[in-house]
Amino acid sequence: MAEMDYRREINEALLAGREALRYLNEAADCLNSAGNWGIVDLLGGGLLTTFIKRSKMKDADELVQQARSALKRFQKELTDVENIPEFRIETGDFLTFADYFFDGIVADWLVQSKINDSRRQVENAIIKVNYIMEQLEKM
């Protein structure tokens, strides 16, 4: 592969990685906000608090879906670059729980646990993408 083509492939992978990171970071922000609202909900925040928390969860879910697409593009672009470690990210099932209908301490705790799990998954994805991006930038 010619040096110019190889450099182009690296740049395409970097672009795709930056896009994935943007969505992942925005999702992490939404999940942090949802988690904060979830704590208020656990302390007896009521229906308005549940509504705000669910709104943040919905926003995070949309961003995670966009991140998934961007991560697929990133993974595809990485196949064109040699000497990059294998890249796999499991985003899992994010943010699905009927907490409006079962509003109570147990449901709120379960939702909070789901938010925290999703937040950890997103944070792990950010770490992995950042690592790969560092490797690409060194090339």
Side-chain angles (χ1 to χ4, degrees):
M1 180 183 299
E3 178 63 32
M4 186 174 233
D5 289 339
Y6 191 66
R7 173 67 26 217
R8 183 177 46 84
E9 296 300 340
I10 291 171
N11 286 335
E12 288 173 357
L14 284 167
L15 264 163
R18 285 185 196 112
E19 180 184 27
L21 279 174
R22 182 172 54 89
Y23 287 123
L24 287 167
N25 283 316
E26 289 178 25
D29 289 344
C30 281
L31 286 166
N32 286 332
S33 182
N36 292 338
W37 282 105
I39 290 169
V40 173
D41 207 14
L42 278 168
L43 298 173
L47 195 56
L48 179 61
T49 302
T50 299
F51 174 78
I52 294 169
K53 175 183 67 178
R54 294 289 293 162
S55 175
K56 296 294 182 182
M57 291 168 65
K58 182 179 177 286
D59 292 345
D61 186 50
E62 290 171 6
L63 288 163
V64 165
Q65 297 309 319
Q66 291 173 313
R68 281 184 180 144
S69 295
L71 286 168
K72 285 179 186 173
R73 282 190 297 280
F74 184 45
Q75 203 161 10
K76 180 185 171 294
E77 293 298 338
L78 288 175
T79 60
D80 296 332
V81 180
E82 297 172 7
N83 301 319
I84 291 293
E86 186 176 333
F87 176 73
R88 293 268 180 250
I89 290 180
E90 293 299 322
T91 50
D93 295 325
F94 285 92
L95 309 173
T96 48
F97 203 84
D99 136 88
Y100 279 121
F101 301 107
F102 304 107
D103 197 24
I105 191 71
V106 173
D108 291 343
W109 180 79
L110 289 172
V111 170
Q112 189 67 21
S113 176
K114 186 86 166 162
I115 290 169
N116 289 335
D117 289 346
S118 296
R119 186 171 24 197
R120 276 189 292 280
Q121 288 176 341
V122 168
E123 288 169 356
N124 286 336
I126 290 169
I127 290 168
K128 288 179 182 178
V129 172
N130 275 324
Y131 174 76
I132 297 293
M133 296 289 286
E134 287 172 10
Q135 301 307 307
L136 288 169
E137 287 170 355
K138 290 178 184 176
M139 299 179 111

